[in-house]
Amino acid sequence: MAVIEKYPSIFFVGGGNRAPPFVRLTEKAERIVREEAKAKELMEPILVRNIKKLLMFSIDYQVPLGKIKLIESELGLPDDLLCVLTLWVGCGPKAGFPDLKKKLMDFQIQQVMG
């Protein structure tokens, strides 16, 4: 509770007397969350353009996921990119990417093993 009370501009603590306490985001924090979602949506075309440029500079239009992981913040990629790709490729061979899921899993294992 101390952490929540430390940031009154983000969290609103209500309740009291005989009502149970509750916590919610302040209006300002909720507005920022909505703006962030809109900003991500607006950044998508820029992100796609940047990835296309990166692929054009690479050999055979391929870039190892490890290299992309190193520059993901500069490209504007989400922190959970590998999880998103793993879910997206979940269709496997039906989607036309029979070995991409295996490559993603191998990359994740390499990252964990160090």
Side-chain angles (χ1 to χ4, degrees):
M1 193 69 166
V3 172
I4 293 171
E5 291 173 346
K6 185 177 179 180
Y7 301 101
S9 61
I10 299 174
F11 301 106
F12 172 77
V13 180
N17 290 341
R18 292 187 178 166
F22 65 91
V23 177
R24 67 175 173 84
L25 293 176
T26 61
E27 290 178 23
K28 181 179 178 181
E30 288 177 359
R31 187 178 72 244
I32 290 170
V33 169
R34 286 190 302 270
E35 288 174 4
E36 181 181 15
K38 179 132 176 101
K40 284 183 178 181
E41 184 179 318
L42 293 172
M43 286 294 295
E44 187 174 337
I46 297 168
L47 174 62
V48 169
R49 188 183 71 228
N50 289 343
I51 291 176
K52 283 181 180 180
K53 284 182 183 179
L54 180 67
L55 289 172
M56 286 191 312
F57 287 119
S58 66
I59 299 172
D60 296 330
Y61 299 107
Q62 296 180 6
V63 178
L65 284 174
K67 303 296 182 191
I68 292 176
K69 186 76 176 149
L70 293 174
I71 59 171
E72 69 183 357
S73 61
E74 287 83 4
L75 290 173
L77 296 169
D79 294 334
D80 60 346
L81 174 66
L82 293 177
C83 295
V84 171
L85 287 175
T86 303
L87 291 174
W88 177 68
V89 179
C91 304
K94 295 180 198 171
F97 304 105
D99 59 341
L100 183 58
K101 186 172 185 176
K102 182 183 180 317
K103 289 181 182 178
L104 285 171
M105 297 307 286
D106 289 345
F107 175 76
Q108 288 175 332
I109 291 168
Q110 289 174 2
Q111 292 299 309
V112 171
M113 299 305 278

